[in-house]
Amino acid sequence: MLKKNIVLNYQIHRRMSDFVTQYNENHIPTTPLQKLLLSIGSATVSLLDPRRADMIATMGETTGISALKYMRDKMNNNPEGNEILQLQPQINTSTVDLGKLKYMPENTLGYAYFKFLDDNKVTPDSRGSVQFIDDIQLAYVMQRYREVHDLFHTVLGMPTNMLGEVTVKWVEAFQTKLPMTLSGGLFGAVRLKPKQREQYVKHYLPWAIQTGLNSNFMLNIYFEKRWEQPIEELQKELNIKPLEIIDLK
């Protein structure tokens, strides 16, 4: 029993140290004025070139402190969310056995997540490290948000095309209050093709607003402990009714 506790404590300490080490290696201290300039510059570049993921990330960090405090409080007030804050788990190919998820039953969250990554040719290692947030716990909340973004797509049943991304951004806007998600929803819609825009207005946007307002807080889900859970069961737990996807190119 004692050996088991020692191993468990070591694993917890290692996971926490992994994020702390990552944070210390990447954190760039900035003054309020520097943060203001970064937020203006990153927002401008993001609007001109939405492909600049680095600028979108910077805008999220420099404009989202109030939202991150709201997210942290939501997690602190939930047992599962609080556990995530305490253990600071991370999602990447070093911590998630994608090979194991591949062979899980097709109705599970684990398999659905693997299939999403495989179908869309994306990897959990693509999420950049937080740089400009000075509070380490808030920095973790932002890092966690980035790392579960693909899981949000998976649970919501949304693809990674522009229509799917804009729809997920609206759900995230209501869930997280992050300014970058609101701007992504507003300005991303401008880039939709005419047929996509029609379906967006008629179906996707109303669904995203309703889902964002009525669903339970997704950052309170310890996804790594839910791989074997049927995804439909998790959706019901979160009060999410997937939208029937209309495939528009």
Side-chain angles (χ1 to χ4, degrees):
M1 183 66 179
L2 178 60
K3 182 177 180 181
K4 182 178 179 181
N5 287 336
I6 291 174
V7 171
L8 179 60
N9 289 335
Y10 168 75
Q11 291 173 337
I12 291 172
H13 175 73
R14 181 181 59 80
R15 283 197 295 267
M16 292 182 70
S17 297
D18 285 346
F19 175 72
V20 171
T21 299
Q22 177 183 322
Y23 174 80
N24 289 333
E25 289 176 350
N26 292 279
H27 178 234
I28 302 174
T30 47
T31 66
L33 177 59
Q34 289 172 323
K35 284 183 172 62
L36 175 61
L37 295 175
L38 281 169
S39 64
I40 295 172
S42 60
T44 302
V45 174
S46 298
L47 292 175
L48 294 174
D49 185 0
R51 295 169 296 181
R52 289 290 302 274
D54 57 334
M55 291 294 99
I56 294 173
T58 298
M59 179 174 67
E61 294 178 28
T62 55
T63 64
I65 295 302
S66 294
L68 289 169
K69 290 178 179 177
Y70 164 81
M71 294 159 67
R72 178 197 60 195
D73 291 345
K74 292 279 285 186
M75 296 175 75
N76 265 327
N77 292 327
N78 176 275
E80 196 167 343
N82 184 263
E83 183 181 10
I84 295 168
L85 286 179
Q86 295 302 315
L87 300 185
Q88 297 180 336
Q90 292 188 264
I91 296 178
N92 52 57
T93 53
S94 296
T95 62
V96 178
D97 186 349
L98 296 179
K100 182 179 178 180
L101 301 189
K102 179 180 180 180
Y103 293 103
M104 283 188 170
E106 293 186 4
N107 69 328
T108 61
L109 170 67
Y111 179 81
Y113 178 55
F114 167 80
K115 190 172 188 304
F116 172 86
L117 296 175
D118 190 55
D119 288 349
N120 293 284
K121 309 303 179 189
V122 294
T123 169
D125 293 334
S126 62
R127 304 300 169 185
S129 299
V130 174
Q131 294 179 296
F132 302 110
I133 298 175
D134 299 324
D135 183 296
I136 192 169
Q137 190 175 52
L138 296 183
Y140 174 73
V141 173
M142 176 59 84
Q143 189 70 40
R144 182 68 176 178
Y145 159 73
R146 290 178 183 172
E147 293 179 2
V148 299
H149 175 74
D150 288 334
L151 279 155
F152 282 13
H153 271 274
T154 302
V155 174
L156 294 170
M158 283 290 145
T160 58
N161 60 16
M162 182 54 63
L163 184 55
E165 287 291 353
V166 171
T167 303
V168 171
K169 278 292 178 284
W170 274 112
V171 176
E172 291 179 339
F174 285 102
Q175 283 244 334
T176 69
K177 318 299 183 188
L178 284 167
M180 59 161 285
T181 58
L182 179 59
S183 63
L186 287 171
F187 295 104
V190 176
R191 302 178 62 207
L192 294 173
K193 298 175 182 179
K195 288 185 178 180
Q196 288 182 322
R197 191 174 298 116
E198 180 182 350
Q199 293 299 324
Y200 168 72
V201 173
K202 286 184 178 180
H203 303 291
Y204 286 76
L205 180 58
W207 175 85
I209 293 173
Q210 182 179 25
T211 301
L213 289 173
N214 298 325
S215 58
N216 295 319
F217 195 59
M218 286 193 281
L219 276 169
N220 280 336
I221 298 297
Y222 204 145
F223 291 101
E224 300 92 315
K225 294 187 175 184
R226 305 290 195 106
W227 296 135
E228 296 180 358
Q229 183 176 10
I231 190 166
E232 289 187 4
E233 180 183 295
L234 178 58
Q235 289 166 337
K236 289 180 181 179
E237 179 181 337
L238 288 167
N239 197 30
I240 292 172
K241 183 178 180 182
L243 177 67
E244 183 176 348
I245 301 299
I246 301 171
D247 188 16
L248 295 173
K249 303 299 183 183

